[in-house]
Amino acid sequence: MIQVLLAIGVILMLYNSYVGFGLKDKAPGGIIGERLSQLNIFIALFTLGYLAVGVLTWSYPPDTVLVILSLILLLGAIFVFMVLRLVQAVLAALEG
């Protein structure tokens, strides 16, 4: 179960990274472009951290702490997805 949650989270974070770096091309300069660059840095770090947790805990037997950790990471990946959707909506509203 832990491996499945971690795998879903990694896939979602890789997708989030792809979308986040793709949004950088659509963002104008100034404060929005700067904040989006910072957001992309944090998304990349979160993705690397997610991969590190997955590699380090892959062979561990399931216990309560690892299940809670994997759920927290998965919910964090969902949160990043929702933030990116919000950024897409803001950029679309600014464009026209």
Side-chain angles (χ1 to χ4, degrees):
M1 177 175 167
I2 296 169
Q3 289 84 3
V4 172
L5 292 174
L6 288 172
I8 292 170
V10 166
I11 291 168
L12 184 57
M13 281 309 297
L14 290 173
Y15 174 76
N16 289 339
S17 297
Y18 173 74
V19 170
F21 287 108
L23 282 175
K24 182 64 178 146
D25 298 333
K26 297 179 182 178
I31 191 76
I32 294 176
E34 179 184 334
R35 295 293 185 240
L36 192 55
S37 295
Q38 293 170 354
L39 180 65
N40 283 335
I41 290 169
F42 281 109
I43 289 172
L45 290 174
F46 188 42
T47 304
L48 290 175
Y50 214 118
L51 289 170
V53 167
V55 168
L56 293 174
T57 63
W58 193 260
S59 63
Y60 279 63
D63 64 347
T64 307
V65 174
L66 289 178
V67 171
I68 292 171
L69 174 67
S70 61
L71 282 173
I72 289 171
L73 288 173
L74 180 60
L75 292 175
I78 292 169
F79 175 76
V80 171
F81 176 77
M82 292 171 58
V83 167
L84 287 173
R85 295 284 302 219
L86 177 64
V87 170
Q88 285 176 331
V90 168
L91 290 175
L94 289 175
E95 286 178 355

